[in-house]
Amino acid sequence: QVQLHESGPGLVKPSGTLSLTCAVSGDSISSVTWWSWIRQPPGKGLEWVGEVYHTGKTNYNPSLKSRVTISADMSKNQFSLSVNSVTAADTAIYYCARKGPGYLDVWGRGTLVTVSS
Amino acid sequence: QSALTQPPSASGSPGQSVTISCTGTSSDVGAYPYVSWYQQFPAKAPKLIIYEVNKRPSGVPDRFSGSKSGNMASLTVSGLQAEDEADYYCSAFAGTNTFWLFGGGTKLTVL
C-alpha cells in the first residue's frame, strides 16, 4: 500500500521560506511516475503547485514558478517543496501526491502551513 | 490560465441522479483525454474517483461516471446516497505551459 506523509513547519513568517518534505512508502520515487504538490487555502479550492520526476525534471504552476522549487531525494525516498518570499496568500493545506499519466491517485493527508508574524 | 468552471453547489434526493459540470476551453478539457474527478470530505484529502474522462479506479462504485463533450466534462452520481455528500473537484491537463488545472469545486448536498 502506497502512503505519502507531509512534514514541515506549520508556521512561517512573511517574506520567509516555506519548506516541506513528503516521505513515500510502498513505492519508489524512482518509479516511472511524477510526484506532485497541491495546495488548498482554508475553505477554498485546490491549486496545483508543481511536480518532480526522479531524474530531477520539474514542472511548475506558471503563477508560482518564480518562487517554487521542488526536488527529489532518491536516497531517502522523499521529495520536497520550497516556496520563498511567502505572504499570507500562501497560507494553505499542502498535499503531496503521486501522479499517474493524467491523475493524482495517491494523496498524503496534508499539512497546514500558516504564514504569519 | 483560469481555473476550470464548476457550479458551486448541486443537490439531489437519495436515489436520484446528479450531474456536475466542469467547463474548460479548447486548450485543456477539449484538447486532451486527461480529465479527472476528486471527492473530498471535510478535513480529509481528496480521493480520485474518475480518471481519463470516464475510468474508475478500483473500489469506486459504478454509481460514479464521467463523460466529456467538447470543452465540458461531467461527473454523474447515480442512485445518490447520503455518503456521497462531499465536495467534488475536476482537473484537466492544459498543455506543457500551464500543465494542470483544477475546477473551483462543487459542494454536493444529499437532501
Side-chain angles (χ1 to χ4, degrees):
Chain A
Q1 182 185 2
V2 181
Q3 293 185 320
L4 283 71
H5 179 68
E6 306 90 349
S7 62
L11 181 65
V12 181
K13 294 187 186 306
S15 77
T17 298
L18 177 162
S19 296
L20 297 174
T21 297
C22 180
V24 179
S25 60
D27 193 3
S28 169
I29 64 166
S30 300
S31 60
V32 184
T33 190
W34 291 78
W35 302 92
S36 304
W37 288 97
I38 304 95
R39 70 182 186 178
Q40 184 173 35
K44 297 187 178 180
L46 301 168
E47 180 181 36
W48 178 75
V49 175
E51 60 190 10
V52 63
Y53 199 63
H54 68 86
T55 57
K57 181 172 172 55
T58 53
N59 296 315
Y60 298 123
N61 185 321
S63 68
L64 299 170
K65 187 174 184 177
S66 63
R67 300 192 294 124
V68 170
T69 302
I70 298 175
S71 60
D73 185 337
M74 286 185 283
S75 67
K76 296 182 179 179
N77 211 41
Q78 63 186 33
F79 60 107
S80 300
L81 169 70
S82 175
V83 183
N84 60 36
S85 303
V86 297
T87 69
D90 295 306
T91 293
I93 298 171
Y94 285 77
Y95 296 99
C96 59
R98 185 180 73 174
K99 189 171 77 66
Y103 51 87
L104 299 157
D105 64 343
V106 182
W107 294 64
R109 299 176 104 176
T111 187
L112 174 64
V113 178
T114 301
V115 178
S116 174
S117 55
Chain B
Q1 189 156 348
S2 301
L4 308 174
T5 300
Q6 295 181 236
S9 63
S11 63
S13 299
Q16 288 186 331
S17 292
V18 171
T19 297
I20 298 171
S21 62
C22 171
T23 303
T25 70
S26 57
S27 298
D28 40 68
V29 173
Y32 305 97
Y34 298 121
V35 176
S36 52
W37 289 89
Y38 302 87
Q39 178 189 60
Q40 186 180 34
F41 295 109
K44 296 293 187 182
K47 172 189 172 185
L48 176 69
I49 57 172
I50 295 288
Y51 67 100
E52 292 176 6
V53 177
N54 55 16
K55 299 177 181 176
R56 278 187 312 276
S58 174
V60 174
D62 60 6
R63 301 185 294 103
F64 293 91
S65 62
S67 63
K68 186 179 84 164
S69 178
N71 298 336
M72 188 173 78
S74 299
L75 171 71
T76 298
V77 186
S78 305
L80 265 179
Q81 299 182 4
E83 66 201 50
D84 298 331
E85 189 162 289
D87 293 327
Y88 292 84
Y89 292 90
C90 63
S91 179
F93 182 62
T96 54
N97 288 320
T98 304
F99 294 101
W100 300 98
L101 295 174
F102 281 99
T106 298
K107 182 175 183 59
L108 175 61
T109 300
V110 181
L111 302 171

